[in-house]
Amino acid sequence: KTEDVDLQMISNSTSPTKTAAPPESEPLSSEPYDPHEHRSQPHPTTNFETLVHILKGSLGTGILAMPQAFFNSGYINGIISTILIGVLCTYCLHVLVQAQYALCKRRRVPILSYPISMKIALEEGPPSLRWLAPAAIVIVDGFMILYQLGICVCYIVFVAENIKQLADYYWIELDVKIHMIILLVPLIAINCIRNLKVLAPFSTLANIMTFVGIGMLLAYVLDDIPPIEARSAFAPIQFYPLYFGTTLFALEAVGVIIALENNMKTPKSFGGYFGVLNIGMIVIVILYAGMGFLGYLKYGSECDGSITLNIPKYEIMSQAIRTIFALAIFISYGLQCYVPVDIIWNVYLVKKYEHSNHKLLYEFLVRIVVVIITFLLAVAIPRLGLFISLFGAFCLSALGIAFPAIMEICVLWPNGYGVGRYIFWKNILLILFGIVGLVAGTYTSLRDIILSFS
């Protein structure tokens, strides 16, 4: 059952064409309509299962990059900022889910995808924003595709760097780009698996391996930790955008969160002060702040883009950790790559080729091209930490902060902003914060990527 839920989660987070509003000419009934009561999922998840999925989705390359994030912030600043960013991400997710619920209720449909929700919201919002509605689906899909491709790039760099450390010891020293070239064919092969159920058992295995790997990793981190006085409480402010992008990349899983809420047996339990989302995010923030603090305390300025690259190279246990994470992330590549392929093919290309005798061939070409794009980006810029920060700042400042605020402004227009229009001005501040985070984080990451080649 868990495997089916994982696959449905990925599928539901894509393809805006899967849900649509009723035709405008269709008369709407005056009877109350609750979208939650009309959802029909083949394998709905309980509250506990949803919480487990939220926690599972948080344990990847993001948590392994947190020690370097804390190096860019300082340990006191890092702890405080991780909590604040966690609160911000959680709040914006609540805003997004509630806005989608209001639109579903208004249109009398059980579920609306993120891109279509944004389009409908803009159509019904302030007149000054309605001109953006026709482009809303393409814009949201574009950010989703870029974000997922960014995850895939980070996965390639992560796997290649960890394999390199093993190969340097047991085989021969090769440039990390050579290892990426060696990985290219297996990556194409795993992305050409059209039925995700084939990957399901391996996905479950990858989740188990990740939990085991983190437990083994903590044994190194907690061994002989230096005194806290040896580390900086606050890092120079010019490094903070790198911290922001990395932490946002790690904490904000907007597509998965929406899919999880859509798949719940009791979706009303998702929100609320003691709802599934809040409990899950509290645990995630504690895990990330803890890993960031302890990893930075252990390795200081030597923290790499993944903490697995800091542990000893020539011990059996450390080599086992690298092997575990390399295999787990490689398997996850196929699942993450499914999202951009699904959007590109099923939303934008399938209608063009649906009557072609070579439809299947064109689909495989799309799958191969997507892998080659991520491969070329990884080879061109093999900087794991900077890539994580770049895609976190650029994509998630928009998807996770600015877009939900814009959607709420539109959904509550014109008379739902509260006393003094405080909801409107709160959302304006969120939009400005998202824009500043996007610009500052993207600029800093790109600048450091360029400087890293100097």
Side-chain angles (χ1 to χ4, degrees):
K1 183 175 180 179
T2 301
E3 293 164 3
D4 290 338
V5 171
D6 284 338
L7 304 184
Q8 189 175 352
M9 233 171 54
I10 295 169
S11 180
N12 285 349
S13 66
T14 61
S15 294
T17 54
K18 290 179 181 177
T19 55
E24 302 234 344
S25 59
E26 181 181 325
L28 298 181
S29 170
S30 60
E31 295 181 6
Y33 180 88
D34 186 350
H36 292 162
E37 295 176 359
H38 292 80
R39 290 181 181 176
S40 178
Q41 302 289 9
H43 301 288
T45 54
T46 64
N47 293 351
F48 179 74
E49 287 171 337
T50 304
L51 179 62
V52 170
H53 285 305
I54 291 175
L55 297 178
K56 275 198 322 182
S58 72
L59 300 178
T61 54
I63 193 171
L64 300 176
M66 284 306 293
Q68 189 183 67
F70 268 57
F71 166 68
N72 289 320
S73 66
Y75 62 85
I76 290 181
N77 192 15
I79 291 172
I80 295 172
S81 294
T82 302
I83 293 171
L84 292 177
I85 293 175
V87 171
L88 176 65
C89 290
T90 306
Y91 176 75
C92 288
L93 287 169
H94 279 295
V95 168
L96 179 59
V97 169
Q98 289 167 8
Q100 285 190 302
Y101 176 80
L103 290 172
C104 287
K105 193 171 184 179
R106 217 175 274 174
R107 291 297 178 111
R108 307 182 72 82
V109 293
I111 292 174
L112 286 170
S113 68
Y114 193 171
I116 281 195
S117 298
M118 179 61 79
K119 180 177 184 290
I120 294 173
L122 288 168
E123 287 174 343
E124 299 179 354
S128 59
L129 295 177
R130 291 177 185 175
W131 65 275
L132 290 168
I137 290 178
V138 175
I139 291 172
V140 175
D141 277 341
F143 275 101
M144 287 290 291
I145 291 169
L146 280 175
Y147 172 54
Q148 293 298 145
L149 290 179
I151 293 176
C152 294
V153 171
C154 294
Y155 280 12
I156 293 175
V157 177
F158 176 90
V159 174
E161 287 186 343
N162 281 274
I163 289 177
K164 172 178 166 53
Q165 288 197 350
L166 292 169
D168 287 352
Y169 180 70
Y170 285 106
W171 184 37
I172 187 175
E173 288 194 22
L174 296 171
D175 189 276
V176 68
K177 296 177 182 179
I178 302 298
H179 289 286
M180 292 180 190
I181 293 172
I182 294 171
L183 282 170
L184 180 58
V185 173
L187 289 171
I188 290 174
I190 199 171
N191 197 43
C192 284
I193 298 175
R194 300 174 69 238
N195 185 354
L196 281 179
K197 288 189 176 182
V198 176
L199 284 176
F202 300 101
S203 176
T204 303
L205 176 63
N207 292 327
I208 295 171
M209 292 168 68
T210 301
F211 281 107
V212 172
I214 288 176
M216 295 169 67
L217 190 59
L218 286 173
Y220 277 106
V221 173
L222 295 172
D223 182 44
D224 194 24
I225 293 184
I228 197 169
E229 293 79 14
R231 305 295 179 234
S232 300
F234 296 89
I237 190 65
Q238 63 263 32
F239 297 122
Y240 191 81
L242 294 174
Y243 161 83
F244 176 78
T246 301
T247 306
L248 202 59
F249 179 95
L251 289 176
E252 185 72 89
V254 59
V256 172
I257 293 295
I258 293 172
L260 281 170
E261 191 271 342
N262 288 343
N263 199 62
M264 284 185 69
K265 184 181 295 183
T266 55
K268 293 186 186 301
S269 303
F270 190 76
Y273 291 112
F274 300 101
V276 173
L277 178 59
N278 283 358
I279 294 172
M281 290 301 290
I282 288 171
V283 175
I284 288 169
V285 168
I286 292 171
L287 285 173
Y288 275 70
M291 179 63 82
F293 173 74
L294 293 173
Y296 173 55
L297 198 59
K298 174 71 174 180
Y299 297 110
S301 61
E302 296 180 357
C303 287
D304 215 322
S306 168
I307 195 173
T308 58
L309 302 175
N310 288 110
I311 59 179
K313 295 181 180 181
Y314 307 121
E315 295 182 10
I316 296 297
M317 182 172 168
S318 64
Q319 292 168 350
I321 291 171
R322 288 191 193 89
T323 303
I324 286 171
F325 277 110
L327 286 173
I329 297 300
F330 173 79
I331 293 170
S332 299
Y333 178 92
L335 297 172
Q336 295 293 346
C337 217
Y338 177 87
V339 178
V341 169
D342 187 60
I343 295 174
I344 293 168
W345 177 250
N346 288 322
V347 178
Y348 296 101
L349 295 180
V350 72
K351 289 183 179 178
K352 183 177 180 180
Y353 299 108
E354 62 183 346
H355 300 300
S356 171
N357 295 328
H358 305 293
K359 178 183 174 182
L360 187 60
L361 174 62
Y362 290 131
E363 181 184 343
F364 278 117
L365 284 175
V366 170
R367 293 177 177 275
I368 293 169
V369 167
V370 167
V371 175
I372 290 174
I373 289 171
T374 60
F375 162 77
L376 291 175
L377 284 171
V379 169
I381 314 170
R383 304 288 189 270
L384 179 60
L386 294 176
F387 249 127
I388 288 175
S389 180
L390 173 63
F391 284 102
F394 183 73
C395 297
L396 294 176
S397 293
L399 287 170
I401 300 175
F403 288 177
I406 293 171
M407 193 183 296
E408 187 176 51
I409 286 176
C410 295
V411 169
L412 296 181
W413 185 85
N415 299 315
Y417 297 137
V419 178
R421 296 170 65 86
Y422 77 94
I423 295 178
F424 174 82
W425 294 113
K426 174 265 296 180
N427 283 319
I428 292 296
L429 289 176
L430 285 176
I431 293 167
L432 292 174
F433 183 83
I435 292 171
V436 170
L438 187 154
V439 173
T442 302
Y443 168 78
T444 307
S445 300
L446 288 174
R447 181 200 65 195
D448 284 16
I449 287 172
I450 293 170
L451 290 175
S452 70
F453 288 97
S454 300

